[in-house]
């Protein structure tokens, strides 16, 4: 390049050509990452918004006694085309006619191809209708979520065992006595959690088996040593096998490791007798929250029943205020609704997310002072992700940029 150190800069035609090429390359390199960044963020926002509206839509369907249905975005292929024009023209001012001014132009076009797949079939329907198991509840609780919010969403009933007698208390407003005690029980657990004394731990214990030494060959003993601790009792001619076992999850107000090995085995055997969607709870006297001892199980429901519970609570089976148990200390939150929705004949301007189904608009009600509804809806989205299967991919690249 040739520069003239005078007040005005004079460029030769060769210099202008090189500047044009450099600028062209620089603009391409600049716009490609910008387009990619914009595409990824905007498509992410769009798919998250779709998920939120689909959940609201299916709650609306449940409210109006219509069948649920889900649709997912399985693939996004966004192709970006960049076209640049570059040239030079004589300047209108200057001491000589050789002064050139570069001229640039260009266009950017986006051609997205979005694959939309109905989420249906036997596998997804089975996941939708199958009750959740204890590991799903544990996963959410270990994220730090409120135990009362999770149980009000996921648990369909509480079964209390007291001296061999069983009482079933439904998380259903229509069952006045059962609903009252269920709400009081989960609120009591929340008060223990607020004091950081709620344990959500699996039962760990040592399991032992005794076999006659003569019944095992040397090869069998060697194979057992890979999985068990093997001890030979010479005086009794017996072989003792020991193994550390991880049992069922237990909600307690004490550390389960402080129990004897035999007590942990007993609690685990008791949990074995329950259903696969049962979560055991054991609140004992002498520990925080022990003023009201609770021993039993929470029976979890399916995601279909979770949405149906929320939908029916809008009109057919509304929730109502339940005061805490007399033995429960003060708690910070005890909202009437598990998830409060605003239903109106016109779209609410204050709603973050809303959908229309039939003649009604449904939106998450904005509560003042706390984020109970927002947290509940976030948990609902996470629970749905646990329910979904992998959507069929079309084999196209996620995002391609053509220059």
């Amino acid at each position: 390049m040739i520069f003239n150190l005078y007040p005005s800069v004079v460029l030769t035609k060769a210099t202008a050509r090189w500047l044009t090429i450099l600028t062209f390359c620089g603009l391409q390199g600049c716009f490609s990452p910008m387009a990619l960044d914009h595409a990824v963020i905007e498509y992410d926002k769009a798919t998250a918004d779709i998920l939120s509206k689909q959940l609201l839509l299916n709650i609306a369907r449940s409210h109006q006694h219509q069948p649920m249905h889900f649709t997912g975005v399985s693939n996004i292929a966004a192709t970006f085309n960049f076209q640049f024009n570059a040239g030079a023209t004589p300047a209108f001012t200057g001491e000589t006619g050789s002064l050139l001014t570069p001229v640039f132009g260009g266009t950017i076009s986006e051609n997205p191809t979005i694959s939309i797949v109905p989420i249906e079939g036997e596998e997804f329907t089975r996941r939708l209708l199958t009750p959740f198991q204890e590991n799903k509840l544990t996963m959410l609780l270990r994220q730090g979520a409120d135990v009362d919010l999770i149980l009000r969403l996921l648990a369909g009933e509480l079964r209390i065992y007291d001296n061999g007698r069983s009482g079933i208390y439904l998380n259903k407003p229509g069952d006045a006595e059962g609903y009252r005690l269920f709400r009081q029980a989960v609120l009591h657990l929340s008060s223990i959690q607020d004091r950081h004394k709620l344990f959500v731990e699996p039962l760990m214990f040592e399991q032992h088996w005794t076999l006659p030494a003569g019944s095992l060959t040397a090869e069998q003993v060697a194979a057992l040593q890979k999985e068990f601790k093997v001890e030979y009792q010479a005086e009794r001619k017996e072989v003792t096998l020991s193994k550390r076992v991880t049992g069922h999850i237990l909600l307690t107000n004490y550390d389960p490791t402080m129990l004897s090995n035999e007590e942990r085995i007993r609690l685990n055997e008791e949990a074995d007798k329950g259903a696969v969607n049962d979560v055991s709870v054991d609140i004992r006297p002498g520990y925080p929250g022990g003023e009201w001892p609770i021993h039993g199980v929470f029976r979890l429901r399916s995601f279909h029943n979770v949405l149906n519970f929320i939908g029916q609570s809008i009109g057919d089976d509304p929730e109502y205020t339940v005061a805490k148990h007399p033995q429960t200390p003060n708690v910070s939150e005890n909202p009437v609704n598990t998830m409060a929705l605003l239903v109106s004949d016109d779209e609410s301007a204050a709603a973050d997310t809303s959908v229309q189904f039939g003649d009604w608009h449904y939106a998450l009600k904005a509560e003042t002072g706390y984020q109970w509804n927002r947290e509940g809806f976030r948990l609902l989205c996470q629970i749905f992700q646990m329910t979904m299967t992998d959507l069929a991919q079309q084999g196209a690249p996620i995002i391609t940029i053509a220059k």
Side-chain angles (χ1 to χ4, degrees):
M1 291 183 292
I2 301 174
F3 292 91
N4 191 345
L5 301 179
Y6 286 97
S8 61
V9 179
V10 180
L11 304 179
T12 66
K13 293 182 179 179
T15 301
R17 187 181 303 112
W18 277 108
L19 284 178
T20 300
I21 295 173
L22 290 174
T23 306
F24 175 76
C25 295
L27 286 175
Q28 279 191 311
C30 178
F31 276 112
S32 297
M34 289 174 59
L36 178 62
D37 177 76
H38 174 78
V40 171
I41 298 301
E42 293 304 317
Y43 285 129
D44 180 77
K45 291 178 181 179
T47 52
D49 188 56
I50 289 171
L51 173 60
S52 299
K53 289 184 176 181
Q54 275 205 81
L55 291 176
L56 278 178
L57 181 61
N58 279 287
I59 292 173
R61 286 171 174 152
S62 175
H63 173 229
Q64 299 187 28
H65 301 279
Q66 298 296 321
M68 298 182 189
H69 190 267
F70 296 88
T71 302
V73 177
S74 67
N75 192 78
I76 299 174
T79 302
F80 296 87
N81 296 314
F82 299 89
Q83 295 181 356
F84 291 93
N85 301 315
T89 182
F92 292 104
T93 62
E95 298 179 357
T96 64
S98 60
L99 180 63
L100 298 178
T101 300
V103 178
F104 303 100
T107 60
I108 302 175
S109 62
E110 177 186 358
N111 301 301
T113 301
I114 301 174
S115 301
I116 301 174
V117 180
I119 309 175
E120 53 191 13
E122 181 180 354
E123 182 181 359
F124 175 71
T125 303
R126 186 185 299 113
R127 286 171 173 257
L128 194 67
L129 300 179
T130 300
F132 291 103
Q133 297 185 16
E134 61 182 20
N135 62 325
K136 302 291 178 65
L137 177 71
T138 307
M139 189 183 306
L140 294 172
L141 285 174
R142 288 181 174 172
Q143 302 292 324
D146 292 335
V147 65
D148 52 340
L149 174 56
I150 293 178
L151 289 175
R152 287 179 66 175
L153 278 173
L154 290 187
E157 61 188 57
L158 168 64
R159 298 187 172 212
I160 293 182
Y161 306 128
D162 182 18
N163 297 325
R165 294 176 296 175
S166 177
I168 301 176
Y169 305 93
L170 301 180
N171 182 17
K172 182 177 175 60
D175 178 16
E177 181 61 24
Y179 179 71
R180 180 186 63 82
L181 193 137
F182 178 92
R183 285 278 303 273
Q184 289 179 335
V186 298
L187 198 61
H188 192 69
L189 291 182
S190 179
S191 72
I192 300 173
Q193 185 186 44
D194 290 343
R195 287 173 276 177
H196 307 288
K197 297 299 181 181
L198 182 68
F199 290 82
V200 187
E201 302 294 337
L203 289 166
M204 307 288 293
F205 53 91
E206 292 283 341
Q207 192 75 51
H208 304 281
W209 299 268
T210 301
L211 300 173
S215 64
L216 298 174
T217 65
E219 291 78 9
Q220 289 174 328
V221 172
L224 288 171
Q225 287 177 335
K226 297 178 181 179
E227 189 175 354
F228 300 90
K229 179 182 179 182
V230 180
E231 295 180 347
Y232 177 65
Q233 307 291 335
E235 66 279 3
R236 291 180 294 181
K237 295 183 179 180
E238 292 179 342
V239 173
T240 301
L241 305 179
S242 302
K243 182 180 180 180
R244 188 167 180 81
V245 179
T246 302
H248 291 278
I249 299 294
L250 195 64
L251 302 179
T252 65
N253 60 338
Y254 58 88
D255 187 351
T257 60
M258 62 173 290
L259 300 177
S260 66
N261 191 64
E262 292 72 20
E263 178 69 5
R264 280 174 275 164
I265 292 176
R266 186 191 68 78
L267 288 172
N268 194 72
E269 290 175 347
E270 182 182 89
D272 280 337
K273 298 176 183 178
V276 294
N277 56 317
D278 284 351
V279 178
S280 299
V281 56
D282 186 36
I283 305 302
R284 297 188 175 188
Y287 302 96
E291 300 82 9
W292 181 23
I294 302 174
H295 184 73
V297 297
F298 286 100
R299 181 155 291 180
L300 306 183
R301 51 192 171 195
S302 66
F303 187 73
H304 179 276
N305 284 339
V306 171
L307 293 184
N308 193 58
F309 168 76
I310 299 172
Q312 294 304 301
S313 68
I314 297 175
D316 293 346
D317 201 9
E319 296 186 87
Y320 44 84
T321 301
V322 174
K324 67 180 183 65
H325 190 273
Q327 299 297 329
T328 302
N330 291 329
V331 291
S332 58
E333 293 179 328
N334 184 22
V336 174
N337 297 98
T338 304
M339 186 172 297
L341 297 177
L342 180 64
V343 182
S344 61
D345 55 1
D346 60 346
E347 187 173 5
S348 173
D352 293 336
T353 303
S354 64
V355 296
Q356 181 178 3
F357 187 69
D359 297 330
W360 300 98
H361 293 268
Y362 296 79
L364 194 66
K365 185 178 290 187
E367 298 287 344
T368 302
Y370 56 88
Q371 298 294 326
W372 175 276
N373 272 338
R374 290 177 180 269
E375 181 65 16
F377 196 74
R378 185 184 68 84
L379 286 174
L380 193 66
C381 292
Q382 290 182 342
I383 296 168
F384 178 65
Q385 294 290 353
M386 296 178 184
T387 307
M388 285 184 62
T389 57
D390 292 333
L391 299 179
Q393 299 293 321
Q394 302 299 318
I398 302 299
I399 295 179
T400 60
I401 298 180
K403 297 181 180 179

